[in-house]
Amino acid sequence: MTLSSIIISAASILLLSSLSPGSSLSVTVFGGSGFAGSRVCKSLVDKGASVTSISKSGTVPKWCAGEEWTTKVDWKRADLLSTDDASLDNVVGSPDAVVSCVGVVGTDPEILRKGNGNANAAAFGSASRGGRLQRVVYVSVGSEIDACKENWLPEFFKGYFEGKIMAEKAAINAMGGDASKVCLVKPTFIYGGTEFGLLPTRVNYEYGSAVEELLMLPPFQFLADITPGLIKVAFRPPVCVDSVAAACAKAALDDSSASFPTVLDGTYDINKYSGQPKSTGLTDALEFGKEQAIKFYDWAKVEVPKAIDAVQSKIEEFKS
C-alpha cells in the first residue's frame, strides 16, 4: 500500500466518522438546565453525543444532581437576551447540532415575546455563526393550541405565540433557509418528574401517565376530533417529558433525510418517532387498586371476625 493510499484511506475513515451520529457529534442544548432541556441532555449523553448545556444558571438541575451522566455534560452559563453576540459566540462555539428548549410563560406580552422569540433567535444565530451547524431542533407549541390564540385565549397570550413564530423562523434562517434540516417538536401539555407545579403548570409522572393512557382511548380521541378550541386540546393526551427529550435527541443526531422529521406535532407523532413505550399509568393505577382491594379483603376476613368477637365479649361482660 502506497503512502498516498494510506492517507486517502485515513481521510475516508475520518470523514465517515464525522458523518456518523453519536459520539462524533457535538450537540448544544439551549435551556439545558430546565425541565425538558436537562432530560434532552441525558438522552443525548445516553446516545454517545458530546453535549453542552447553555442556560441562565449554567448548573446541574436538582432532579439529577449527583447522577453520573451529568459529569459528561459541559454546563455553561449565558443570558440569551443580554449577552452580546461576540460573548455569546464564545460560549456557544461551533456545535454540529442544537436543541432549544428555551421558553417562558406568564402574563406580560413583551416578556413572552422576547423570552420565546428573541432569546431563541439569539441562540440559533450564534450557533449558525459557528459554521458547522447541521441540524436544528426546537421545542415549539402544538398546532391545536396555536389555533386557539384568536378566540379562546386572553389577549396577552399573543405575545407567546408571536415569540414562538419568531423562533421557528430563526431556526430555519440558521440553516440558511433550509427547513428540511429543522425539526419543530410541538407538544401540547408536557408532564413528568415527581412534583406538581402551577407556573409553569406541571403534573408528575404517575398522574400524567394515567391521563395520557386514558385520553388515548378511542372515545376520547373521537371527542377531541369533533370538539373545538381548548375543549379539543383538553381531550388530547399529554406527552411525557422523557418522550419529548428522546425525540429531540434522536432528531439532533438523525443524519438520514428519509427519516428526519421536520415537524412532530402532538403526542402521537412525538411518541412514534421517539420510540418510547406506551403509557401505562392508568393500568398501573387500576392494578394497584386491585391489589390493595385484595389485601384489604384478606385482612378483613381475619380481623373483622376478631373485632366482632371482641365486641360481643365486651357486651357479655357488661351484662354479667
Side-chain angles (χ1 to χ4, degrees):
M1 181 178 289
T2 65
L3 178 60
S4 60
S5 63
I6 293 175
I7 293 174
I8 292 172
S9 297
S12 298
I13 292 172
L14 289 173
L15 177 61
L16 288 172
S17 64
S18 68
L19 295 174
S20 61
S23 59
S24 63
L25 289 181
S26 63
V27 184
T28 293
V29 181
F30 294 106
S33 294
F35 176 66
S38 56
R39 289 166 172 85
V40 173
C41 289
K42 181 180 186 304
S43 187
L44 285 166
V45 168
D46 291 343
K47 293 178 182 294
S50 174
V51 184
T52 297
S53 164
I54 297 178
S55 64
K56 277 188 177 182
S57 68
T59 59
V60 179
K62 291 181 180 180
W63 76 266
C64 56
E67 294 188 11
E68 194 273 337
W69 69 266
T70 61
T71 63
K72 299 178 181 179
V73 176
D74 187 7
W75 303 91
K76 293 184 177 182
R77 178 180 178 180
D79 187 330
L80 296 171
L81 290 176
S82 63
T83 306
D84 63 85
D85 286 353
S87 299
L88 184 59
D89 291 352
N90 186 52
V91 175
V92 175
S94 303
D96 296 309
V98 295
V99 178
S100 178
C101 300
V102 172
V104 298
V105 295
T107 59
D108 187 314
E110 190 62 17
I111 290 176
L112 291 173
R113 191 176 296 107
K114 289 182 176 180
N116 292 289
N118 297 75
N120 279 297
F124 296 140
S126 180
S128 179
R129 291 191 293 270
R132 291 175 50 187
L133 197 59
Q134 303 172 31
R135 289 280 187 270
V136 173
V137 182
Y138 172 52
V139 180
S140 187
V141 61
S143 62
E144 290 184 337
I145 297 180
D146 182 71
C148 297
K149 63 186 176 186
E150 295 297 336
N151 301 314
W152 291 80
L153 292 170
E155 183 71 18
F156 67 81
F157 264 101
K158 285 187 177 181
Y160 174 85
F161 293 106
E162 288 171 359
K164 291 291 185 180
I165 292 171
M166 183 190 305
E168 291 180 7
K169 291 180 178 178
I172 296 172
N173 289 338
M175 297 309 307
D178 188 353
S180 69
K181 295 180 180 179
V182 176
C183 177
L184 301 177
V185 182
K186 297 188 169 189
T188 51
F189 181 83
I190 304 176
Y191 70 87
T194 59
E195 299 177 351
F196 287 83
L198 183 59
L199 285 174
T201 305
R202 295 277 183 256
V203 299
N204 68 11
Y205 176 81
E206 288 77 11
Y207 182 86
S209 179
V211 174
E212 180 183 357
E213 185 181 4
L214 176 66
L215 296 184
M216 282 287 190
L217 297 175
F220 290 100
Q221 294 182 40
F222 174 76
L223 286 172
D225 289 339
I226 64 172
T227 51
L230 286 178
I231 302 174
K232 176 189 292 291
V233 174
F235 280 121
R236 293 299 188 201
V239 61
C240 180
V241 66
D242 294 333
S243 185
V244 173
C248 289
K250 183 178 179 180
L253 301 176
D254 194 340
D255 61 354
S256 171
S257 58
S259 60
F260 181 77
T262 55
V263 178
L264 294 172
D265 193 1
T267 300
Y268 302 100
D269 285 355
I270 295 171
N271 284 347
K272 183 178 180 180
Y273 181 71
S274 68
Q276 293 293 293
K278 291 183 178 180
S279 58
T280 58
L282 180 61
T283 300
D284 294 342
L286 292 174
E287 185 63 31
F288 177 78
K290 178 182 176 181
E291 291 175 357
Q292 296 306 305
I294 292 173
K295 289 180 180 179
F296 177 77
Y297 176 73
D298 292 339
W299 173 86
K301 283 195 301 183
V302 176
E303 299 300 328
V304 171
K306 288 182 180 179
I308 293 175
D309 289 343
V311 170
Q312 289 179 339
S313 178
K314 288 295 182 181
I315 292 174
E316 294 298 327
E317 289 178 7
F318 180 76
K319 289 181 177 179
S320 61

